[in-house]
Amino acid sequence: MIMIIGFKYRRLKSSSLQSLERGRLTEVDFFNGYIVKNAMKYSVDVPVNLTVTNMIHEIEMKKRSVSVSNFNDPVFCRFY
């Protein structure tokens, strides 16, 4: 069942990815940015959220491209 659903929706893109591809700003500050802001407030370490937020801002400013290679950042190494 999961494979059927995955196959059916394989071409869907998130609204954030669509915004990045169109050169528009995303909602990153409302999602990951919110988490980062509150984590700093309570001295909680959230390295992945912080990295994702910074990467998205770099993409929005055209300092980084939308690419799978962005996941080569050391902060993601523990996940693969």
Side-chain angles (χ1 to χ4, degrees):
M1 185 59 130
I2 291 173
M3 289 180 66
I4 293 169
I5 292 170
F7 182 76
K8 180 177 179 180
Y9 295 106
R10 70 188 178 280
R11 291 192 180 97
L12 288 182
K13 294 182 182 180
S14 70
S15 62
S16 292
L17 178 56
Q18 291 177 35
S19 294
L20 290 173
E21 291 178 338
R22 293 178 181 142
R24 297 183 179 160
L25 297 178
T26 66
E27 310 90 352
V28 71
D29 290 322
F30 296 103
F31 300 128
N32 280 325
Y34 177 81
I35 293 168
V36 170
K37 179 182 171 186
N38 282 292
M40 288 180 177
K41 181 178 176 181
Y42 296 104
S43 300
V44 176
D45 190 30
V46 289
V48 174
N49 295 88
L50 179 60
T51 300
V52 168
T53 302
N54 291 336
M55 282 183 176
I56 297 298
H57 285 296
E58 289 174 3
I59 293 170
E60 291 172 342
M61 294 183 294
K62 310 287 190 241
K63 293 181 180 179
R64 181 188 290 263
S65 63
V66 176
S67 172
V68 173
S69 66
N70 289 325
F71 290 106
N72 292 334
D73 190 281
V75 75
F76 299 116
C77 288
R78 63 179 149 181
F79 300 108
Y80 58 88

